[in-house]
Amino acid sequence: MIEQKQQLENAVNEALVIANKLGVDQAEVALGKSSGSSVNTRLGEVENVEFNLDGAMGISVYIDQCKGSASTSDLSPDAIAASVKAAVDIARYTSQDPIAGLLDKECLETSPLDLDLYHPSNGDTDEFLALAKQCEEIALSSDQRIVNSDGAAVNSHSSLRVYGNSNGFLHSYASSRHSLSCVLIAQQGDEMQRDYSYTSARDMKDLLSAKWVADEAVKRTLSRLGATKIATQESPVLFAPEAATGLFGHLVSAISGTSIYKKSTFLLDSLDTQIFPDWMQISEKPHIIGGIASSPFDQEGGKTIDRNIIEQGVLQTYLLTGYAARKLNMQSTGHTGGIHNWFVESTGLDLAGLFKEMGTGFFVTELMGQGVNMVTGDYSRGASGFWIENGVIAYPVHEVTIAGNLKEMFMGIEAVGSDIDPRSSLKTGSILINKMKIAGA
């Protein structure tokens, strides 16, 4: 990896040198290489084996506030030179954009940290297939109601990213990601239900066991049997962690710089205003060692820093790229490419405690469809889960729609559970919302 890292950094530097010789005002080069394998088994048979080795260099140049871009997967000196020239030629025919350009120098990360993100697997295809088969075999032999499988899968991938620009930035970092998953089908009479489980980690040895994945997939799938519709009504709704991350994903979209300057968000002009209950805290920590979404710098070379996103219910920051920051006359927040390890602070109750707190209502474990209007905040999605009565699960529920408005939903959050899903880059427990409309039978 060290040798490859140096080769790729040299290639990026070569592109920048060529761009400078061609007289551009500014230039930036991003180069990514990824490799890995994916295997799938189904009913004990090998269904799919894939290997990938991908890579490409993207070059952007700026001339008189005009931008030109080109890319190449061939990293030979001639191909790099041709790509830089192509970007320059394109820039001469594009319209001026006074906002376009590199990230301001003071926003660049000058001393990137080593966050221990790279742990390549030593396993081979046979070992991955054996792991997937083991997981599936455990699941299929656990209960006679588990009648079929959509398969088990093992994925193992590594990548190396290099970014350089004419403001003196040239750094790189490597990362890895591994996972094991299993999808099952259960049957009871004429009814069939489907569910899954998975584990993922930077390091293969940190994956949960095949038995854990199988047992969890079995439990989740069997729990769906006997699902029914419920009457149309208004009631409290509790979002399980995997569904709750979607709620905060809408927050991410709503406060992104692009949404703000395009005025296409329900949280326009919401900076320094209260959008959650006054106890709500959401923080970002980009430099957690080995973190799922840790990053020493963003995709423009920008600094990534610890910050509060929500403090006492008040929005503290937008999520700004360099371009969006200039559009809004603000400063980049290091979010080109996404967020970095968000933590939603729990109010202390575990899942059983949240059931008791809710009393009677709908516990959502899966969401379907994309019925969210980011301009108005109107929210309407298909859902399935469980009906809760007197603080305990009464029966599974499916084929219902839950609806509300995200502004009201955010302010209506009554509790955040301690049942955090560690697999997500946005770490939250279950979210209890005081009331939503439920359209059922």
Side-chain angles (χ1 to χ4, degrees):
M1 175 58 74
I2 294 176
E3 182 179 348
Q4 185 184 43
K5 177 176 181 289
Q6 189 60 58
Q7 290 174 346
L8 298 187
E9 288 183 356
N10 289 343
V12 169
N13 185 63
E14 183 176 354
L16 292 170
V17 169
I18 294 170
N20 182 60
K21 289 180 179 178
L22 292 176
V24 305
D25 298 327
Q26 294 181 322
E28 59 182 339
V29 181
L31 199 167
K33 282 279 189 179
S34 64
S35 62
S37 61
S38 303
V39 303
N40 294 75
T41 64
R42 185 171 182 272
L43 300 176
E45 299 294 328
V46 177
E47 188 168 65
N48 193 47
V49 176
E50 292 184 1
F51 299 94
N52 78 285
L53 179 59
D54 303 315
M57 172 186 285
I59 302 159
S60 293
V61 300
Y62 302 87
I63 303 172
D64 295 330
Q65 297 181 323
C66 298
K67 180 180 179 180
S69 298
S71 65
T72 177
S73 56
D74 181 353
L75 299 184
S76 67
D78 288 346
I80 292 173
S83 296
V84 175
K85 185 177 184 304
V88 170
D89 290 342
I90 291 169
R92 301 193 190 283
Y93 293 96
T94 59
S95 300
Q96 284 190 325
D97 183 352
I99 302 299
L102 302 180
L103 195 64
D104 296 338
K105 287 184 178 181
E106 62 268 23
C107 296
L108 292 171
E109 177 54 75
T110 56
S111 302
L113 298 172
D114 180 357
L115 300 177
D116 194 30
L117 306 179
Y118 180 60
H119 296 273
S121 170
N122 295 320
D124 59 23
T125 301
D126 289 340
E127 290 175 306
F128 293 162
L129 286 170
L131 182 60
K133 287 181 179 180
Q134 178 192 12
C135 184
E136 198 178 21
E137 286 169 3
I138 293 171
L140 289 170
S141 63
S142 63
D143 191 293
Q144 62 183 6
R145 292 170 294 175
I146 301 294
V147 296
N148 208 337
S149 165
D150 265 355
V154 175
N155 294 279
S156 178
H157 292 87
S158 297
S159 64
L160 176 63
R161 174 174 173 76
V162 185
Y163 175 79
N165 65 34
S166 54
N167 277 342
F169 184 97
L170 179 52
H171 292 287
S172 64
Y173 67 92
S175 61
S176 57
R177 193 73 171 266
H178 315 282
S179 66
L180 167 65
S181 61
C182 184
V183 185
L184 301 174
I185 298 170
Q187 184 170 5
Q188 184 171 271
D190 294 331
E191 178 192 10
M192 301 185 78
Q193 294 287 350
R194 179 180 180 273
D195 214 321
Y196 73 99
S197 183
Y198 75 98
T199 176
S200 66
R202 292 281 190 191
D203 194 329
M204 202 82 178
K205 67 180 177 59
D206 292 330
L207 292 178
L208 297 173
S209 69
K211 186 177 188 309
W212 183 92
V213 174
D215 289 347
E216 183 70 10
V218 168
K219 182 178 73 172
R220 289 171 61 97
T221 307
L222 293 178
S223 71
R224 287 177 171 266
L225 292 172
T228 184
K229 294 183 180 180
I230 53 178
T232 296
Q233 60 190 284
E234 189 173 80
S235 83
V237 173
L238 178 64
F239 289 80
E242 55 265 43
T245 55
L247 285 180
F248 292 112
H250 299 315
L251 171 65
V252 172
S253 297
I255 63 174
S256 73
T258 302
S259 297
I260 300 298
Y261 76 71
K262 289 184 175 180
K263 299 183 178 180
S264 59
T265 170
F266 67 95
L267 290 180
L268 188 65
D269 299 325
S270 292
L271 193 63
D272 298 322
T273 63
Q274 185 172 355
I275 60 173
F276 287 98
D278 58 13
W279 46 263
M280 177 67 80
Q281 299 284 124
I282 302 177
S283 59
E284 181 174 55
K285 298 180 180 180
H287 298 156
I288 293 174
I289 300 299
I292 291 295
S294 293
S295 180
F297 51 85
D298 78 356
Q299 292 184 7
E300 290 182 287
K303 297 175 183 177
T304 53
I305 64 172
D306 288 1
R307 67 174 75 236
N308 287 334
I309 307 299
I310 302 294
E311 188 172 341
Q312 295 181 334
V314 175
L315 179 63
Q316 302 295 308
T317 182
Y318 294 140
L319 310 179
L320 305 177
T321 64
Y323 187 88
R326 285 190 290 273
K327 274 279 192 180
L328 297 168
N329 196 29
M330 301 175 78
Q331 192 173 70
S332 167
T333 59
H335 286 99
T336 304
I339 63 171
H340 317 288
N341 300 318
W342 277 24
F343 294 83
V344 182
E345 191 171 310
S346 169
T347 51
L349 292 175
D350 61 10
L351 185 58
L354 289 173
F355 286 166
K356 292 178 181 177
E357 179 82 6
M358 180 167 63
T360 297
F362 184 29
F363 176 44
V364 175
T365 59
E366 184 179 22
L367 293 164
M368 293 148 278
Q370 301 297 325
V372 181
N373 186 324
M374 292 304 299
V375 178
T376 64
D378 289 339
Y379 180 99
S380 178
R381 298 190 67 184
S384 62
F386 301 89
W387 188 250
I388 307 300
E389 288 184 358
N390 299 318
V392 296
I393 292 176
Y395 48 83
V397 171
H398 66 173
E399 297 180 13
V400 299
T401 300
I402 56 175
N405 182 276
L406 285 167
K407 267 193 173 182
E408 296 172 359
M409 291 163 64
F410 288 167
M411 285 300 297
I413 294 176
E414 294 188 336
V416 179
S418 60
D419 55 331
I420 295 169
D421 183 354
R423 301 167 297 183
S424 174
S425 60
L426 200 161
K427 292 177 170 52
T428 177
S430 295
I431 299 292
L432 176 60
I433 295 179
N434 57 3
K435 61 180 179 180
M436 291 185 68
K437 295 175 183 177
I438 303 174

